[in-house]
Amino acid sequence: MFLAAGLVKLALIRFTDCIMKLVEVALKVPLDRTFDYLVEGDHTHDILPGVRVIVPFGKRKLIGIVLALKSSTSLETEKLRAVEAFIDVKPIVSTAFIHLIRFCAKYYCYPLGDTLFSALPAALRQGEPLDKLVIHMLSATNAPTTPLRGKKQRALFDYLVENGNSPVCEIKALGFTQSQIDALEKKTLLNRFTAPSIPWTEQLWQLSQKPRLNQEQATACAAIKQSELFSCFLLEGVTGSGKTEVYLHALEDIIKTKKQALVLVPEIGLTPQTVQRFKRRFAGLPITLWHSNLTDNERLEVWRQSESNEIAMVIGTRSSIFLPFAHLGMIIVDEEHDSSFKQQEGLRYHARDLAAYRAAKLGIPLILGSATPALESLHHAISKKYHLLTLQHRAQTASANQFALVDMKGQIAQQGFANTTLNSMLDTLKRGKQVMVFLNRRGFAPTLICHECGWLSGCNRCTASTTYHKAIAQLVCHHCGDIRAIPKQCPDCGSTQIMPAGVGTEQIAEFFSTYFVDYPVIRIDRDTTRKKGALEDALDVIHQGGAKLLVGTQMLAKGHHFPDVALVVILDVDSGLYSSDFRATEHMAQLITQVSGRAGRSGEPGKVILQTHFPDHPLLQDLVNNGYQDFARFALTERQEADLPPYTYLALIRAQGQKFELVMQFLRDLVPEQRSSGIQLLGPLPAPMEKIAGKYRYQLHIQAESRSILHHYLAQLRDYMNTHPLTNRVRWSIDVDPIDMY
Ligand code: ADP
Ligand code: ZN
Ligand code: ZN
């Protein structure tokens, strides 16, 4: 409809001769275009791209951002409306930022205005001034005269002593609360003051002692140091091989040239340990965190500081890739294979891939590090687009982990554990070591079953079973959040013989507390860590040896360093081996390797037990015998033979709606009669979860020979979808380079 109106009359009006000016404005509206507005009267001072304006839009007034000044428009004069007010004199975003946004919108097939507004912190979207606030800093004063009784207060005080001046938001990000801060302030152990607004390059900092690099690390650091302009390095190093040490060296070189750095970490990787390691190395250097728990004001402040060069380094999750650094000199993506770098709704960008774009545009080095690189990145490294740097050996132990596959076929298992597994666990515990058990399923049991008729507890609104949570005595759907009471009788046959089927982390922890009576258990999953600071507390308990058995979901898998874990048990390996998602084996291998990497990090080699019904599976065998590096290269040849990414290029059209027929009709209409060359269409197919919260979910897979063919095709398809009669009755989205078919 929109396009039609714009095309009625192509009246080109030239404004160059008169005093009026035209601006192209991006608005936060789900329309695939920008809007031209007039600038009248006394506003005709020097307008720069990147300033915010208030404009009329229909009957509303919206905040927009000027993208460009124009000299002509295709709109008729009488339809042109004028900018009502300018919010900023100085641009709040640079032209480089606008370029990044334009690229991002085009690449991910997302409306430009929406893309721009998704990237900005909320406070700027709402029209707040850039220098709205002052940031509050904390520092420790004299040592307490009497020992501090509160454990948390003591920890906070120690943190401040060790790390020096720290912004309040960082302290809170690390799990401390306002009341703990207030308590210390009351005892005059802590100072609160405003951060000085001076460039970080004028502040004092000091490099702390660092270990001597080993041969592999030195080679990697030398290669990075020698790089000129843009180069992308894939640092493939087994867990504990000293990748972080390589980052720290590379960062040191960049910081010394007075350039800023961005370190991207997965959502869950932002642990106090990681942060402290960076801050300790560069003592006194302004290093700031960026993560999903910041308030709007805190985000605004980090945004402003990165732009005004007041901070040297940001350690941040996904969306920190948009921060407007004044002098960015390096980007590091740690655990680059991690799927939390890809946003799974709205603007479905991949922070690692945008990092590659940004680094290339700026002509700066990019380091992607992982023990288990994504097959995409590995492919680039093998084809020499990226430089491959390898760390084969663990930095502190000589020995690699030993794997054992336990064949579960015909085994009588207790709560999912084979007897041999339980025996190995007991042996390890008796030696005073910790055991970690990993299962990616929280709750007590994944479903309830009726012993008489086979009824299974399922969600009415999703194609999923409901998980039995014993502690709260409820059935919870992990997909739509629906919660209901446990039925006393089977809804189908009336039997009272209803029992849990399968195991979840809650059940395992309960089982251990009776089976291994002498050894304390701790469970780490979303249910036990919901409260702020709970995860940090649990990690503390583990570090202090207060727990011997650690049970958890993938929260436990990532990044943490547990020196005393000598045995890792992984249950339920099999779901990754036979899945409809072609990435399932890659993800399974990454998970196994990452979880295993938690074992044997100091001294003795760790042991890893994998329970499986398919001990002879070739990919599993390859992984266990030859490691992820070998597995990944083998998996790549399989992808190539099957014409799958990274050898082809994939996009997904997802559609969902209450009415099955409409969803299907919409997707079917997208499949053309004629085949396009270089494009393969598959679908409509049901999503792996066909129904969530009462909505049917179907998808279309688009696979292309080349990226340009894919993007050309998607652009056409998008125009078509925008004008389709069902476009507003079916919720649809485009996912370019999807990593999760869900
Ligand atoms: P990764 O990031 O690959 O998991 P880390 O950088 O965390 O590995 O290193 C693992 C452990 O080895 C850490 O405790 C680290 O301090 C130590 N380490 C790393 N490099 C060296 C080195 N060159 N000399 C001594 N210890 C090192
Ligand atoms: Zn029944
Ligand atoms: Zn549900």
Side-chain angles (χ1 to χ4, degrees):
M1 255 175 48
F2 238 92
L3 288 177
L7 290 173
V8 180
K9 257 189 246 160
L10 262 177
L12 269 183
I13 318 161
R14 302 223 148 263
F15 287 84
T16 32
D17 303 332
C18 54
I19 50 151
M20 285 190 290
K21 282 188 184 173
L22 281 169
V23 285
E24 181 194 10
V25 175
L27 296 174
K28 186 174 166 33
V29 289
L31 294 169
D32 244 342
R33 45 165 298 191
T34 53
F35 302 87
D36 292 344
Y37 284 90
L38 267 176
V39 183
E40 292 175 331
D42 38 334
H43 291 308
T44 49
H45 55 270
D46 289 332
I47 301 157
L48 295 167
V51 297
R52 285 171 298 174
V53 287
I54 295 173
V55 293
F57 187 79
K59 286 189 180 134
R60 295 183 292 161
K61 293 196 197 319
L62 295 180
I63 293 177
I65 295 192
V66 174
L67 294 180
L69 310 182
K70 300 180 81 175
S71 54
S72 65
T73 177
S74 53
L75 222 61
E76 296 158 71
T77 337
E78 55 274 21
K79 291 229 167 106
L80 265 178
R81 299 174 78 179
V83 170
E84 293 203 349
F86 283 81
I87 298 177
D88 311 294
V89 180
K90 260 176 53 190
I92 59 149
V93 294
S94 65
T95 39
F97 182 83
I98 295 175
H99 283 308
L100 171 69
I101 294 300
R102 284 195 196 269
F103 167 80
C104 187
K106 201 162 168 204
Y107 189 94
Y108 291 107
C109 301
Y110 203 62
L112 183 64
D114 255 352
T115 307
L116 178 57
F117 280 83
S118 314
L120 287 180
L124 289 181
R125 293 202 292 266
Q126 289 149 11
E128 301 275 12
L130 194 54
D131 52 2
K132 178 183 171 198
L133 8 111
V134 283
I135 194 108
H136 293 286
M137 304 284 291
L138 301 176
S139 69
T141 57
N142 337 333
T145 41
T146 51
L148 279 170
R149 259 184 294 130
K151 202 174 109 223
K152 275 299 204 177
Q153 287 180 32
R154 203 165 55 225
L156 171 55
F157 184 78
D158 291 346
Y159 182 88
L160 290 174
V161 169
E162 182 150 355
N163 294 282
N165 301 350
S166 310
V168 174
C169 54
E170 171 185 313
I171 293 302
K172 289 189 179 166
L174 297 175
F176 298 106
T177 61
Q178 186 65 46
S179 61
Q180 287 152 6
I181 296 173
D182 293 343
L184 283 189
E185 194 173 26
K186 224 162 136 193
K187 294 175 190 162
T188 66
L189 294 174
L190 159 160
N191 265 335
R192 203 193 294 251
F193 60 99
T194 5
S197 316
I198 51 168
W200 69 269
T201 44
E202 289 166 26
Q203 298 182 32
L204 284 179
W205 62 277
Q206 210 181 8
L207 199 65
S208 314
Q209 232 191 350
K210 51 187 178 184
R212 246 179 75 117
L213 296 179
N214 62 35
Q215 192 55 48
E216 288 181 325
Q217 288 172 320
T219 309
C221 288
I224 296 166
K225 194 167 184 164
Q226 276 161 18
S227 71
E228 283 167 29
L229 304 173
F230 170 65
S231 327
C232 179
F233 299 93
L234 177 63
L235 181 61
E236 185 183 30
V238 298
T239 40
S241 60
K243 292 183 293 297
T244 312
E245 202 48 55
V246 172
Y247 304 154
L248 289 166
H249 272 257
L251 289 167
E252 183 187 327
D253 291 335
I254 291 299
I255 295 293
K256 282 182 176 160
T257 64
K258 303 209 181 300
K259 294 266 187 63
Q260 295 167 294
L262 171 62
V263 181
L264 286 164
V265 294
E267 194 67 58
I268 224 154
L270 203 59
T271 62
Q273 296 166 52
T274 321
V275 179
Q276 279 191 4
R277 202 159 154 200
F278 282 77
K279 300 199 101 179
R280 206 172 288 154
R281 178 63 55 86
F282 304 101
L285 190 73
I287 297 178
T288 297
L289 311 187
W290 175 276
H291 53 86
S292 52
N293 285 337
L294 292 183
T295 64
D296 288 352
N297 282 342
E298 288 162 352
R299 269 165 205 271
L300 179 65
E301 186 54 17
V302 180
W303 184 276
R304 189 193 63 72
Q305 287 181 320
S306 72
E307 194 174 38
S308 59
N309 206 29
E310 284 166 43
I311 44 181
M313 203 187 292
V314 171
I315 304 176
T317 51
R318 180 172 72 218
S319 54
S320 60
I321 190 57
F322 292 113
L323 284 171
F325 293 94
H327 303 291
L328 191 59
M330 174 175 279
I331 307 178
I332 292 172
V333 184
D334 188 28
E335 307 289 356
E336 63 88 32
H337 66 279
D338 196 284
S339 53
S340 73
F341 288 122
K342 174 95 158 121
Q343 176 138 305
Q344 305 279 17
E345 81 249 316
L347 173 63
R348 293 166 189 265
Y349 67 97
H350 201 304
R352 177 194 62 211
D353 298 343
L354 286 184
Y357 173 85
R358 249 188 119 169
K361 280 283 156 206
L362 289 169
I364 60 172
L366 168 68
I367 307 175
L368 309 177
S370 176
T372 54
L375 294 188
E376 273 75 9
S377 305
L378 198 60
H379 171 61
H380 286 321
I382 291 170
S383 60
K384 301 273 192 285
K385 202 174 144 198
Y386 295 174
H387 302 276
L388 184 62
L389 306 171
T390 316
L391 307 179
Q392 296 273 15
H393 305 287
R394 289 181 150 198
Q396 292 185 324
T397 73
S399 38
N401 283 333
Q402 297 159 356
F403 281 93
L405 288 174
V406 171
D407 188 354
M408 295 302 284
K409 283 196 299 291
Q411 289 256 14
I412 305 165
Q414 292 187 68
Q415 258 78 7
F417 290 85
N419 268 331
T420 51
T421 308
L422 292 171
N423 292 338
S424 301
M425 290 173 66
L426 190 59
D427 286 345
T428 311
L429 292 168
K430 279 184 177 158
R431 288 192 296 115
K433 295 286 178 185
Q434 289 172 321
V435 176
M436 188 165 126
V437 175
F438 174 83
L439 173 66
N440 220 357
R441 206 187 290 129
R442 62 195 172 91
F444 190 84
T447 182
L448 292 179
I449 189 168
C450 167
H451 189 58
E452 309 223 345
C453 77
W455 166 88
L456 294 169
S457 66
C459 179
N460 294 337
R461 307 162 67 215
C462 307
T463 33
S465 61
T466 46
T467 303
Y468 170 45
H469 287 255
K470 192 173 175 185
I472 51 169
Q474 267 165 334
L475 286 171
V476 181
C477 173
H478 288 181
H479 300 280
C480 71
D482 191 50
I483 296 180
R484 45 193 67 213
I486 314 284
K488 295 208 166 45
Q489 285 180 300
C490 169
D492 282 359
C493 75
S495 159
T496 50
Q497 297 247 34
I498 307 178
M499 50 198 59
V503 288
T505 47
E506 188 185 354
Q507 185 172 165
I508 291 174
E510 187 187 283
F511 168 59
F512 285 172
S513 58
T514 53
Y515 191 90
F516 298 108
V517 186
D518 301 329
Y519 302 95
V521 185
I522 194 161
R523 167 160 68 103
I524 294 195
D525 57 26
R526 230 171 345 126
D527 299 317
T528 61
T529 55
R530 206 154 272 153
K531 257 179 43 198
K532 219 176 164 170
L535 178 62
E536 290 78 7
D537 287 347
L539 295 175
D540 275 354
V541 171
I542 297 174
H543 283 290
Q544 282 152 20
K548 291 297 175 193
L549 284 148
L550 333 177
V551 180
T553 57
Q554 56 178 332
M555 274 192 141
L556 203 51
K558 295 185 188 172
H560 308 297
H561 181 79
F562 302 131
D564 264 350
V565 171
L567 171 66
V568 173
V569 179
I570 305 177
L571 306 174
D572 193 28
V573 174
D574 297 345
S575 55
L577 292 176
Y578 296 96
S579 160
S580 59
D581 182 347
F582 71 91
R583 287 187 210 274
T585 44
E586 177 189 353
H587 289 160
M588 178 221 40
Q590 287 166 343
L591 199 67
I592 290 177
T593 312
Q594 294 286 344
V595 176
S596 315
R598 302 305 122 221
R601 282 174 72 106
S602 60
E604 64 174 302
K607 192 172 169 192
V608 181
I609 294 178
L610 304 175
Q611 294 197 160
T612 174
H613 288 86
F614 310 98
D616 301 323
H617 193 289
L619 282 173
L620 202 52
Q621 279 290 333
D622 193 19
L623 181 67
V624 166
N625 296 323
N626 310 316
Y628 183 85
Q629 294 192 348
D630 206 74
F631 160 89
R633 282 151 182 86
F634 179 49
L636 268 176
T637 60
E638 284 202 336
R639 292 271 185 94
Q640 186 163 25
E641 276 159 25
D643 274 339
L644 286 166
Y647 299 93
T648 53
Y649 302 86
L650 193 64
L652 220 61
I653 310 288
R654 291 192 180 81
Q656 65 172 49
Q658 224 99 32
K659 290 216 165 68
F660 172 76
E661 301 76 30
L662 295 189
V663 173
M664 286 304 271
Q665 193 192 329
F666 178 74
L667 285 179
R668 275 203 206 102
D669 279 354
L670 304 185
V671 182
E673 313 259 296
Q674 301 262 306
R675 295 222 264 138
S676 322
S677 86
I679 293 280
Q680 276 202 331
L681 286 178
L682 198 62
L685 300 168
M689 286 269 304
E690 191 181 348
K691 199 170 141 199
I692 291 184
K695 296 215 171 65
Y696 290 92
R697 308 162 71 247
Y698 275 74
Q699 42 188 237
L700 208 60
H701 294 213
I702 303 168
Q703 196 167 316
E705 276 169 19
S706 76
R707 185 150 304 284
S708 59
I709 292 179
L710 179 67
H711 273 94
H712 184 72
Y713 188 79
L714 286 176
Q716 288 177 341
L717 195 62
R718 202 165 150 220
D719 286 343
Y720 180 69
M721 290 196 285
N722 276 325
T723 52
H724 192 281
L726 289 176
T727 193
N728 293 325
R729 300 182 63 191
V730 167
R731 233 184 97 194
W732 59 268
S733 64
I734 303 177
D735 192 350
V736 180
D737 307 333
I739 55 159
D740 192 342
M741 298 300 162
Y742 186 78

